[in-house]
Amino acid sequence: MKIAVLASSRDPRVGASPESVKKLLALGADVAIESGAGVAAGFSDAVYQEAGAETGSAKDVLNGADAVFVTAPPEKAQLKQFASGAKLIGLLNPWDEQESLSDYATAGIDAFAMELLPRITRAQSMDVLSSQANLAGYKAVVDAAAAYDRAFPMMMTAAGTVPPAKVFVMGAGVAGLQAIATAKRLGAVVSATDVRAAAKEQVESLGGSFIFAKEAMEEGEGTGGYAKELTPEQRQKQQELVAEHLKKMDIVITTALIPGRPAPKTLTREMVEAMKAGSVIVDLAAPRGGNVEGGEDAETYTLGPATVLAPKNILAGLPGEASNLYARNLFNFVTLLTDKEEKRLAVDWDDDIVKGVALTRDGQIIHEQFGGNALDD
Amino acid sequence: MKIAVLASSRDPRVGASPESVKKLLALGADVAIESGAGVAAGFSDAVYQEAGAETGSAKDVLNGADAVFVTAPPEKAQLKQFASGAKLIGLLNPWDEQESLSDYATAGIDAFAMELLPRITRAQSMDVLSSQANLAGYKAVVDAAAAYDRAFPMMMTAAGTVPPAKVFVMGAGVAGLQAIATAKRLGAVVSATDVRAAAKEQVESLGGSFIFAKEAMEEGEGTGGYAKELTPEQRQKQQELVAEHLKKMDIVITTALIPGRPAPKTLTREMVEAMKAGSVIVDLAAPRGGNVEGGEDAETYTLGPATVLAPKNILAGLPGEASNLYARNLFNFVTLLTDKEEKRLAVDWDDDIVKGVALTRDGQIIHEQFGGNALDD
């Protein structure tokens, strides 16, 4: 069993770490890593070789590879270098890059999009979105603190007291909760909102205050752990409350995502215009179009009184840590696909996790969300 | 009594805040602020006017001003716009810009360099270096976290645990102590070193571990609250211990300064070369030549395995907060110079604080450190 790890010109992260290489070897795999794939994450070719991997050109590492780890969809031109039946595993962005599904099918590649992983307990250790969102929530606060022209904590100095920054986190999912925790650590006064009633307790357990309109609390829980879209009335009530709250905020972090759809505009232009001069917004939904209405495509821009950070890939700024966790997730996933006795890949296509992420199989698109019909095994 | 506040092309901070304007007015002063001086700090002309200040051109605000607040030495060409006998108050960098002292004297300006403030209890509320160092220590950690490719806190995720970053602070003065506190807040494992024995207790009270060579602990306390320079033997012992410790560190923050002298090279090239790949160094002594040996003049550079941040003015990145505290410091200082009954400046040239900071008086250089002879009043 050979596992190839590709570099991506679109993403500085990498699908294997020296730690995961050792684990993959223990699983019975040979690991071949494209030269330079780990450089941005701090993993040199030498470090990979020391861990027991080979390194080489993309063509060489793909040659005969049973599984291929990526952090972003590979270039179309590269697909013909894949062995037939190779398993492509990683963040494949199937919603925005649907045309690539037929490319995978045509190339005879069985593609697994890790963003489609079902949110069930057994899949947690493979949950790339969750591990990366956790880091994104941390990084959002660190970047906000770096961009903010004041300090986060209250400081008592001989010249007087510096008041703490007020941080508001919109959306208390994995990223939002880590943002709350990190802002709290840094000494800010933290509040948060969400459409899920359950979030109240989580936010408060981290020391944040929960901002919500009663009207928006009903039936706010969607499927798969994501928030359901609000009705227009609910949205209005929630927006009024949030708009009032926003006027007092220094830092806002937005994290609202709906799978397969553009990010909802939870922060209207009007709400931003009414904010304080010098406030900083971090739009973690920027890769899916952004939560900020009237936002630009730029990664940093000014909107009314606020500076908006809208990173397309915030984890490009945390490549070492992000790669470490990503590599662990992929290792755990490929372990699920492996027959440990025979030390070879043996995909159970009826497994709920596999069903959740499998886009293509044997030259066909099989994922129901993308027009496929799941084949019987 | 008229107080002018100048903008500086060299420093985005400003010597008055809307809050300090109100206090200056209550002291009986008229306040005139150069147009745009507060923009970077988030204080528009309109906000100053609302607080009761006038705004106008540099020439207009200087006209008839009894005191002039600056954040950096004014341009030589501007000095002739000062009223004769005007008090120039601010960070005047007298060590690096000694030639400007005779310019002040020639222009009949009484100049007060706030970096020379004696470190006595009565002067604490005016201590610009201390208030700014406090913020610099905070900002150093925030910038290090933004530049570091991993996370500071330990994180428990479904994919495994992320270990905390190891932060080492070299020099436990005001900046160093705030850096320790901030890194600790962010969840890092923090250690620190200093040449003063008293620092051990302070470092430990903030949750840091103290790294020091016994041989370097003797007689390490200098005058004025600064560290004394080490003997060659002490330096060697301390460097050996620190060099060993540095090999395990992820983040290093250096803060060693000796007043009136170039910054000591506490981090040798050899020590840096032996550090871990991806480590980040923040050199807070960069404005005085830097603590990093072999460092470049750039504000960010790579040295061996480390990324070095060497900001010439780290508080340019925190202009709002820095200006707030700076403005309070200058207000407290000018209050000392003011006869509150008659609401006019009345300098007591025998006051220890005034003696400490006064560079020039009545056309003469009077500061003993800069070749002057203190005049009797």
Side-chain angles (χ1 to χ4, degrees), chain A residues 47-59:
Chain A
V47 165
Y48 280 131
Q49 287 160 10
E50 209 172 296
E54 286 175 37
T55 59
S57 68
K59 194 175 167 199

Side-chain angles (χ1 to χ4, degrees), chain B residues 118-191:
Chain B
R119 299 205 143 177
I120 58 177
T121 306
R122 195 163 55 88
Q124 274 184 9
S125 69
M126 313 165 193
D127 194 338
V128 167
L129 286 193
S130 176
S131 77
Q132 305 294 293
N134 192 20
L135 292 176
Y138 163 79
K139 184 68 172 160
V141 172
V142 166
D143 287 352
Y148 184 49
D149 78 347
R150 290 160 194 260
F152 268 42
M154 182 169 78
M155 291 185 189
M156 319 280 251
T157 80
T161 301
V162 172
K166 295 196 182 77
V167 175
F168 182 46
V169 178
M170 299 177 69
V174 175
L177 291 173
Q178 182 60 256
I180 293 166
T182 305
K184 197 74 197 165
R185 277 176 180 284
L186 256 181
V189 173
V190 183
S191 54

